[in-house]
Amino acid sequence: MKQKLHILPIIILSQFACTSTWFAGNAILESLTKKLDFGADIVSHVISSVQFGFIIGTLIFGVLMIADRFSPSRVFMICAFLASVSNLTLIYPNLNVGGLLLARFSTGFFLAGIYPVGMKIAADYYEKGLGKALGFLVGALVLGTAFPFLIKGSPLASHPDKVIMLTSGITAFGGLILFLLVPNGPYRVASTTLKFDAGPKLFKNFEFKKAAFGYFGHMWELYAFWAFTPIAIQYFAIQSGSDISVSLWSGIVIALGGLSCAYGGILSQRIGSKKVALIALIASGFLCLISPLLFSLPIYLFLVGWCLWGIAVTADSPQFSNLVASAVAPELKGTALTLVNCIGFAITIISIQLLGSLQSIISIDLLFIPLAIGPLLGVYYLLIKRR
């Protein structure tokens, strides 16, 4: 079935706009800690609050099968509006630590109705070529994640309040245009009954289990790498005496991952999603292991190495989502994607908190080595054969 030309671009634009709230708090965290006199230990807690909110949100959405029982476009729009409001809370003048963590938690919670639901909408439109479509879609998410850092590092919105207002505004806009221009897809099969045992039964599916556990390995590395990239760049700048814009280069590193998601989606049409995911995992795992060496390089080689890592660390994400969606029945695609996201993001909290704890024990140049555990696990599950 030939799709209308505007469908995928609108989904991509909306996904980009609505996920800009994800790291909006991180991008202005230094300003917030100074303004509100928070301690340095608040950093990992703020990062994990978004992840924890997303986990709780995806768990509830998955158990209640929200994306499969209700119109996903409507769910997307409502959650976009609520995420926008949650994000705006950060500019409240009398914000305290509890309010900050609650604001980030609620933003993460409503992102559960944006990221996996956006992939569900794409799956409802693209029975064939889903790997390519998801490559562009997850690429948009990655660019949305990088957006707050990029605009903070530019004259466009250098003030923290402007970063928040801009990301909240485009989030509401993204939700609205998707609802108005992208109706339910032709391949959508709605679930008419609530099945509380749907999740556990999915893991009895061998191909689903392989894809899910490969994704879990990928997630162990991804968000911890993103979250601590600004810290790594700042550490290198101090050690080398270099003048580097931490926000701008953090945004560039993350944004390059969006391009690799899109290219990986195109490449998957030729060599398959499994091979794209395997290549990306091997590359990022290798960079985890040699990361201490990057800190001893000249500035331009350090930045090139970190940019290559940003490219490798995300390219497998949409392909794992394609493998997950392709392994289950149409009426369970939304539930499968949401459940896998829920567990995957729970894993990110562990790796982020681990690096946060290690930060005060070991040197920053050694901090990223434990992230290699994820790619190793992912490669193992991609290559495992049915007994």
Side-chain angles (χ1 to χ4, degrees):
M1 182 182 294
K2 191 174 181 180
Q3 302 301 339
K4 293 178 180 178
L5 294 178
H6 76 277
I7 294 295
L8 186 57
I10 292 297
I11 301 174
I12 291 170
L13 177 62
S14 297
Q15 189 81 302
F16 162 76
C18 294
T19 52
S20 66
T21 58
W22 207 309
F23 268 34
N26 299 41
I28 66 162
L29 198 51
E30 186 179 354
S31 303
L32 278 176
T33 53
K34 289 178 181 177
K35 175 184 172 183
L36 303 171
D37 196 27
F38 295 155
D41 59 336
I42 197 70
V43 174
S44 62
H45 297 309
V46 170
I47 295 167
S48 294
S49 292
V50 185
Q51 309 299 86
F52 188 56
F54 186 82
I55 292 159
I56 299 299
T58 48
L59 180 62
I60 292 172
F61 277 57
V63 169
L64 298 179
M65 302 174 68
I66 298 294
D68 289 316
R69 293 170 57 222
F70 303 101
S71 167
S73 295
R74 187 180 296 274
V75 172
F76 190 101
M77 179 190 68
I78 292 170
C79 288
F81 287 167
L82 294 173
S84 174
V85 173
S86 299
N87 192 52
L88 276 174
T89 308
L90 295 180
I91 64 175
Y92 179 64
N94 297 320
L95 190 68
N96 55 26
V97 172
L100 172 62
L101 297 180
L102 181 60
R104 300 310 290 149
F105 173 88
S106 59
T107 301
F109 183 92
F110 294 118
L111 280 164
I114 293 170
Y115 175 34
V117 174
M119 291 192 291
K120 156 67 175 168
I121 294 169
D124 288 343
Y125 274 93
Y126 294 91
E127 189 177 42
K128 295 179 180 178
L130 182 58
K132 180 180 177 181
L134 289 179
F136 285 104
L137 196 61
V138 178
L141 174 139
V142 175
L143 289 175
T145 303
F147 186 63
F149 289 106
L150 292 171
I151 59 175
K152 185 176 182 293
S154 72
L156 182 64
S158 55
H159 192 278
D161 286 2
K162 288 183 179 179
V163 174
I164 298 304
M165 287 187 285
L166 184 57
T167 51
S168 290
I170 67 170
T171 294
F173 172 75
L176 182 62
I177 62 168
L178 185 130
F179 175 69
L180 294 176
L181 300 177
V182 183
N184 292 332
Y187 299 109
R188 178 177 182 250
V189 178
S191 292
T192 55
T193 56
L194 191 60
K195 302 172 184 175
F196 288 109
D197 62 344
K201 281 185 176 179
L202 286 172
F203 282 94
K204 295 179 181 179
N205 177 331
F206 180 72
E207 292 302 321
F208 171 83
K209 185 177 178 180
K210 277 183 62 173
F213 277 86
Y215 178 78
F216 299 156
H218 152 77
M219 290 298 283
W220 170 267
E221 178 191 16
L222 177 61
Y223 274 82
F225 170 77
W226 278 351
F228 285 86
T229 280
I231 293 170
I233 295 174
Q234 187 173 45
Y235 173 81
F236 180 86
I238 293 170
Q239 295 298 112
S240 63
S242 306
D243 184 20
I244 306 174
S245 172
V246 175
S247 289
L248 182 60
W249 276 102
S250 298
I252 290 171
V253 168
I254 297 172
L256 284 170
L259 300 180
S260 71
C261 285
Y263 178 71
I266 295 169
L267 189 61
S268 71
Q269 299 293 94
R270 292 175 50 200
I271 66 173
S273 291
K274 180 180 175 181
K275 286 185 178 178
V276 171
L278 193 60
I279 293 167
L281 283 172
I282 291 171
S284 64
F286 175 74
L287 286 162
C288 288
L289 295 172
I290 68 161
S291 57
L293 299 177
L294 297 179
F295 290 91
S296 62
L297 297 175
I299 180 172
Y300 59 91
L301 288 179
F302 168 79
L303 291 173
V304 166
W306 222 263
C307 286
L308 288 174
W309 199 349
I311 289 169
V313 77
T314 55
D316 46 353
S317 190
Q319 303 317 313
F320 277 122
S321 295
N322 181 37
L323 292 170
V324 165
S326 301
V328 302
E331 66 273 14
L332 290 175
K333 287 185 188 293
T335 300
L337 288 165
T338 305
L339 180 63
V340 167
N341 271 262
C342 175
I343 299 172
F345 277 84
I347 290 168
T348 68
I349 286 190
I350 300 172
S351 58
I352 288 170
Q353 291 295 333
L354 173 65
L355 264 61
S357 300
L358 290 176
Q359 189 180 352
S360 59
I361 302 171
I362 62 176
S363 176
I364 298 296
D365 57 345
L366 301 174
L367 193 62
F368 294 82
I369 295 175
L371 295 184
I373 296 169
L376 289 171
L377 180 72
V379 168
Y380 170 77
Y381 273 98
L382 277 180
L383 296 178
I384 196 172
K385 303 290 184 184
R386 188 191 296 269
R387 292 181 181 178

